[in-house]
Amino acid sequence: MRTHEQTLELDCGKLAPTFTQRLMAALAPLAAALRIVRNRSQVNGLYDLDDNQLRDIGLTRADLTSAFLASTFFEDPSEHLTQAAKRRWRTSATPPYRD
């Protein structure tokens, strides 16, 4: 009696995307554009804060202006503000006290 072994290879790694996945992929650019518009409006609202309030969050009016000038209409200016606040924090942070 002879036994013959067969293996069946399934190509499960290449599944067709579902309708929901295709829909989400198609709507992703729209969602990104809406997020950019919302963030630009939020950053524009920072102009209503006074200088002390801006300093509390690590920003200056010059940071707001440069964020809008450095970013194109399709870029998120909040990224520039985040980097500016981080740079200001790093340069102004004093080293911890050591004995």
Side-chain angles (χ1 to χ4, degrees):
M1 192 172 212
R2 187 177 277 196
T3 308
H4 184 59
E5 185 176 325
Q6 289 184 343
T7 60
L8 178 63
E9 292 186 27
L10 298 174
D11 193 11
C12 296
K14 297 180 182 178
L15 295 176
T18 63
F19 174 75
T20 305
Q21 290 170 333
R22 286 182 289 172
L23 181 64
M24 294 304 291
L27 293 178
L30 177 64
L34 290 175
R35 183 173 42 254
I36 288 171
V37 169
R38 184 191 67 216
N39 287 348
R40 286 185 79 81
S41 136
Q42 297 274 331
V43 170
N44 202 21
L46 291 175
Y47 279 106
D48 295 337
L49 300 178
D50 64 21
D51 291 338
N52 290 328
Q53 292 170 324
L54 285 173
R55 194 176 326 119
D56 283 344
I57 59 175
L59 297 173
T60 63
R61 295 222 179 268
D63 292 333
L64 298 178
T65 303
S66 67
F68 274 110
L69 293 176
S71 64
T72 63
F73 183 74
F74 300 107
E75 285 183 319
D76 190 356
S78 64
E79 296 290 328
H80 296 281
L81 291 179
T82 301
Q83 295 304 319
K86 284 181 182 179
R87 274 192 309 274
R88 185 163 292 110
W89 178 80
R90 273 190 236 117
T91 58
S92 69
T94 57
Y97 177 74
R98 293 188 184 176
D99 288 323

